[in-house]
Amino acid sequence: MKYPDIAFEPFFSWYNRPRIMYSPGVRAEIGFEMSQLGGSKVVMYTDKGLVNAGVADMVAEAIRSSEELELVGIFDDIVQDARIDIINKGAEFYRKSGADCMVVVGGGSVMDTAKAVNIMIGRKVDDFQPLADQAALWEGAKPLPPHIVFPTTAGTGSEITNALVVLDTESGVKLGVSHPFNADIAMLDPELTVALPAKITAFTGMDALTHAVEGITSTAAEPIADGLGLHAIRLIFKYLPLAVKEPDNIEARGNMLIASSMAGLCFGNTMTGAVHSTAHALGGKYGVPHGLGNGIMLPIVMEFNVEEAPLKFLMIADAMGIDVAGMDPVDAGMAAVKAVKDLKKEVGLTDTLTDLKIPKDPDELQALVELAAGDSQISYNPRYLEEEDIRNLYLKAF
C-alpha cells in the first residue's frame, strides 16, 4: 500500500517515561536495577489472584535472591479497579513497612493503584481523593520513590503511561489522573503472563488494540503515535490468537507485552475516544472490566467513526493485514471493522451487554449516556457525539 499523507497539527510534544527492559526472565535483574535507582527496602504491590497463582512469588524470589534488596512487605489487597480506599491503605502499608521503594506485579488495576500510592508517598499525604479530584498533578511535581513495574497482562499499557484511572466508589465514577513521574523501569517478562486465563488474555489484548486504534484516530494524533500504534496493531493481529490458544507460547506472550506497551505509548500521548468513554461508564456503574468493555464497544465505535477519518482507518486496515491496494478508504475502514469482529470471534470474545446483564431500561441507559458524555476522553473522538449518538452506540452493544 502507498501510505497516504496524513495532516497533523504544526506543534505537538512527546512525553516518554519510563525505561523499558524486555526479556523472558528479566526479573533476575531486579536487584541491580533497583539499587541503581537508590532503593533497597522493597514493598511489593500485587493482588491475591497473582499470589495464589504463584506469579507474585516468581518476582518475590528474584528480590529475595538479590544481594541488594530486602523484601519488607507484600500488599495484596488490590481488587478490580484502583479504588481510592485501597490506595490509601496501600500508602499506609508502605510507611509502616519502612520501605524506600516499590515493585509492582499485576495488571492495570494493580499498576494504577501502585502509581497512586507512590504519588501519595512523594507528596506525604494520607488521602488520595483530593488529588484524584485535580486530575492533572503536573504543577510542582517532583520525582517519586524508586518504582519498578512488571505487567502481568498485555493490555492496559499502564506500565509506561503517566495516567491512571481510579474508581470513586461513593459516586461510582472513574476518574482519570495524570502525573509526570510514573514508573522508573517497566520490565516486560513474558514468563509472568503464561498463567493468564484465555478469556483475560483475549480481552486485555482487545484493550491494547483499542488503545492503538483510538490513539491513531484521536483528534490529538501525530506521526510518532501513528507509527507506534500501527505496529502494535500488526503484532496484536499476529500474536493475540496464538497467545490465547497456546498460553505457554513465550514468543506470542512476549510480542503481546511489547504491543501493549507500544499501544500505551501511542494513546498515552494522544488520548483515546468514545470507546474508552463508554467503557469507563460501564466499569464505573456496573463493574465491567475495562478491557472487556473496550472489546465490546471497539467495533461499534469504529464503524461510527470511519467516515470521519477514512485515511487513518485505511492505514489501520493495512496494519491488520487487509489488502487495501486500490480500495476506497471508507471501504477499507469498514473492512477493518469486520476484521476486529472476526478477531474477537477467533479469541472467543463474544460477550454483549446482554450477556453482562446490563439493563436495557431507558433510565439506566440515560445514566450510562451521561457518564460517557462527561468522560474526559470523549472530546478526543474524531467524530463529535451528541447524547443520542452515545445512546445508539450502547444499543448496538446489546
Side-chain angles (χ1 to χ4, degrees), residues 7-43:
F8 59 92
E9 295 296 322
F11 173 82
F12 68 85
S13 66
W14 180 263
Y15 185 86
N16 190 186
R17 270 184 59 97
R19 176 185 172 198
I20 298 172
M21 297 176 69
Y22 171 83
S23 179
V26 70
R27 61 189 180 278
E29 304 298 324
I30 185 73
F32 174 78
E33 296 297 340
M34 184 62 89
S35 67
Q36 295 299 299
L37 296 171
S40 61
K41 297 181 181 298
V42 179
V43 164

Side-chain angles (χ1 to χ4, degrees), residues 27 50 55 58 106 150-154 188-197 201 243 247-250 252-254 256-257:
R27 61 189 180 278
L50 290 166
V55 175
M58 293 169 71
F150 293 86
T152 59
T153 61
L188 310 185
D189 186 341
E191 292 177 357
L192 302 179
T193 69
V194 298
L196 200 64
T201 300
D248 295 333
N249 187 326
I250 292 295
R253 292 290 193 182
M256 282 303 301
L257 276 175

Side-chain angles (χ1 to χ4, degrees), residues 260-323:
S260 174
S261 289
M262 293 179 74
L265 288 167
C266 171
F267 93 91
N269 279 271
T270 65
M271 303 296 111
T272 55
V275 181
H276 274 72
S277 301
T278 50
H280 285 161
L282 289 167
K285 187 167 177 57
Y286 296 109
V288 177
H290 179 63
L292 182 56
N294 274 348
I296 291 172
M297 299 306 298
L298 176 60
I300 297 168
V301 174
M302 283 176 66
E303 186 171 2
F304 177 81
N305 286 335
V306 162
E307 292 196 9
E308 195 68 26
L311 293 180
K312 286 295 183 75
F313 281 102
L314 175 72
M315 295 196 303
I316 288 169
D318 178 71
M320 290 174 175
I322 299 167
D323 182 3

Side-chain angles (χ1 to χ4, degrees), residues 202-221:
F203 71 64
T204 52
M206 294 304 297
D207 190 21
L209 180 62
T210 302
H211 293 154
V213 171
E214 291 214 293
I216 293 167
T217 56
S218 158
T219 56

Side-chain angles (χ1 to χ4, degrees), residues 46-48 75-83 85-86 108-110 113:
T46 187
D47 62 39
K48 287 185 170 54
F75 184 83
D76 63 2
D77 290 341
I78 299 170
V79 295
Q80 181 183 313
D81 297 320
R83 293 170 37 148
D85 55 340
I86 293 178
S109 299
V110 173
T113 299

